[in-house]
């Protein structure tokens, strides 16, 4: 079980209070009528499926019922950070790639993530 | 002045009102309180429940003016007035639950709307949709621990805290107005289910229902 930090409730809650809602940061096209079929189709149907860092929208369904974002690792399932709607992630595939600790062992990896103040999983 | 139409749910004429647990108290049983009861349940039926939504600052000013009660600004805050009969609880960053003695909610809503004017807020009377159950007794916390994954240890759940969380496979609002008393705010449609769950969970502690 995950213990997930809700940025609105400002505390960790049990995983079963949350639902995942798919890829985060999908902006609806400003003017749908001006979209090509391909642009509109991309917006409606096509999603990233990365191996590694993924930004997802989740909802705190049994708590405050607010949507928020999670940066999650799709291989380790580790939740690296959670942040409010409208905010941008501090951890991305780019920052992870340029991080010196990325070359260290996985144990060091975990420590450096936690000391960053990332508000993801606790034990 | 607001031009929103309100609905008086307590008409002047005398109409019988049934609490959400009226059926359960008759049909699902209500064990008597004995000298060995370590948990006591009590419904506080037909209170006035209002959901306030909008900006914290404008709602806080209005509530201070009308009720002399300040809006909890921190998550999970629960404030009571001096009498302890009126409370306001944080539910979400833009949502609060106001509970007042039954019958007060209509005039309170009018007063709030008068003060709020054209502010971008929403006030919804949900009195008919939910009810409050008190849980008291030395083993009250044990019943809560059997029912919810939320940490109810006093160090994590001090007096004056209230949360919406998973409870008995559904959701409920759990609040701690005093050191000895817990409150559940539950939906009408789940009232009988949760009541029977609590009776079952409290059976080993000789649970009794105060009527
Ligand atoms: Zn939350």
């Amino acid at each position: 079980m995950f213990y997930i930090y809700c940025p609105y409730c400002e505390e960790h809650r049990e995983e079963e209070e949350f639902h995942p809602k798919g890829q985060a940061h999908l902006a609806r096209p400003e003017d749908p009528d001006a979209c090509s079929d391909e642009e509109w189709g991309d917006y409606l149907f096509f999603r990233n499926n990365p191996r590694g860092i993924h930004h997802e929208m989740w909802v705190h369904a049994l708590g405050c019922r607010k949507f928020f974002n999670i940066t999650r690792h799709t291989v380790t399932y580790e939740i690296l950070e959670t942040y409010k709607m409208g905010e941008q992630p501090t951890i991305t595939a780019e920052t992870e790639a340029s991080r010196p600790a990325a070359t260290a062992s996985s144990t060091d990896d975990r420590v450096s993530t936690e000391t960053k103040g990332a508000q993801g999983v606790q034990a | 002045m607001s031009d929103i139409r309100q609905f008086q749910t307590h008409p002047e004429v005398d109409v019988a009102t049934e609490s959400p647990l009226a059926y359960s108290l008759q049909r699902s049983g209500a064990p008597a309180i004995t000298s060995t009861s370590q948990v006591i349940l009590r419904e506080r039926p037909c209170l006035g429940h209002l959901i306030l939504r909008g900006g914290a600052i404008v709602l806080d000013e209005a509530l201070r003016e009308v009720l002399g009660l300040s809006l909890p600004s921190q998550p999970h805050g629960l404030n009571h007035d001096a009498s302890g009969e009126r409370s306001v609880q944080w539910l979400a960053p833009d949502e609060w639950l106001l509970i007042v003695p039954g019958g007060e909610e209509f005039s309170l809503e009018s007063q709030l709307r008068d003060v709020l004017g054209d502010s971008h807020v929403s006030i919804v009377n949900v009195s008919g949709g939910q009810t409050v159950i008190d849980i008291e007794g030395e083993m009250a916390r044990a019943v809560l621990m059997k029912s919810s994954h939320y940490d109810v240890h006093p160090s994590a759940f001090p007096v004056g805290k209230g949360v919406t969380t998973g409870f008995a496979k559904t959701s409920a609002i759990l609040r701690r107005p005093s050191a000895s008393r817990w409150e559940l705010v539950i939906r009408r449609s789940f009232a009988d289910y949760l009541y029977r769950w609590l009776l079952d969970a409290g059976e080993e502690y000789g649970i009794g229902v105060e009527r």
Side-chain angles (χ1 to χ4, degrees), chain A residues 13 62, chain B residues 76-78 89-91 97 132-135 140-141 143-145 147-153 157-158 160-167 171-177 181-186 198:
Chain A
R13 295 289 190 99
L62 284 192
Chain B
H76 314 124
L78 170 66
Q89 178 189 355
W90 184 99
L91 293 183
L97 171 64
V132 178
I133 297 181
D134 282 352
I135 305 175
R141 200 159 64 85
V143 169
L144 299 178
M145 286 161 65
S147 309
S148 176
H149 53 242
Y150 199 84
D151 186 357
V152 291
H153 190 273
F157 210 128
K161 186 172 183 177
V163 301
T164 313
T165 188
F167 194 95
S171 71
I173 295 172
L174 179 61
R175 336 185 324 153
R176 192 163 180 221
R181 188 162 61 87
W182 297 80
E183 282 176 350
L184 277 179
V185 183
I186 59 172
L198 289 169

Side-chain angles (χ1 to χ4, degrees), chain B residues 11-28:
Chain B
E12 294 300 315
V13 288
D14 202 21
V15 181
T17 313
E18 295 280 32
S19 87
L21 281 183
Y23 171 88
S24 314
L25 292 168
Q26 284 193 17
R27 302 292 296 273
S28 305

